[in-house]
Amino acid sequence: MSDLFGDGQFSLFGETGDRMSNPQQASMVPDPDQVRQRLHALLDTARNARTMPWTEKKARVWQIVFPNMANWLPEAEADQLRFEFSREIERLKKAA
């Protein structure tokens, strides 16, 4: 009796080898140097602004994305960048 789905069905849990593995998976891990550059660029944008440099919607997005991007950096560095970004966001909110 044959399997209803045939012999080529992929496993969801990978126990039949690496047929479902993605050869590009390694490239999906962010480069910490690129993450660092992007976070510093965002922080510089905030620091150099007298008022909020982004729309309200974009500012909310960056307040979520920035701390998550920082997770790809060493913990102490990530914590410091999150603190500085948060401080700038609060300053810019008051300036509005």
Side-chain angles (χ1 to χ4, degrees):
M1 181 177 232
S2 67
D3 184 351
L4 179 63
F5 297 104
D7 293 333
Q9 182 178 2
F10 295 114
S11 168
L12 293 176
F13 304 104
E15 61 268 341
T16 60
D18 61 351
R19 292 188 295 172
M20 293 206 39
S21 68
N22 183 353
Q24 295 177 335
Q25 188 171 6
S27 67
M28 294 178 69
V29 175
D31 176 17
D33 289 330
Q34 290 179 344
V35 170
R36 185 177 291 111
Q37 289 174 359
R38 183 68 172 138
L39 294 178
H40 279 282
L42 289 164
L43 188 54
D44 288 345
T45 297
R47 283 182 177 147
N48 294 325
R50 291 180 181 220
T51 60
M52 187 63 74
W54 305 290
T55 64
E56 184 179 334
K57 181 179 179 181
K58 194 67 147 178
R60 284 194 314 263
V61 168
W62 283 127
Q63 289 175 70
I64 295 168
V65 172
F66 190 100
N68 286 310
M69 284 178 65
N71 289 333
W72 292 102
L73 300 176
E75 186 175 356
E77 181 182 10
D79 289 344
Q80 183 63 37
L81 286 170
R82 285 187 202 104
F83 171 76
E84 292 177 27
F85 187 74
S86 176
R87 183 174 56 188
E88 290 302 324
I89 290 294
E90 290 306 312
R91 178 187 65 81
L92 292 166
K93 284 179 180 179
K94 291 177 184 175

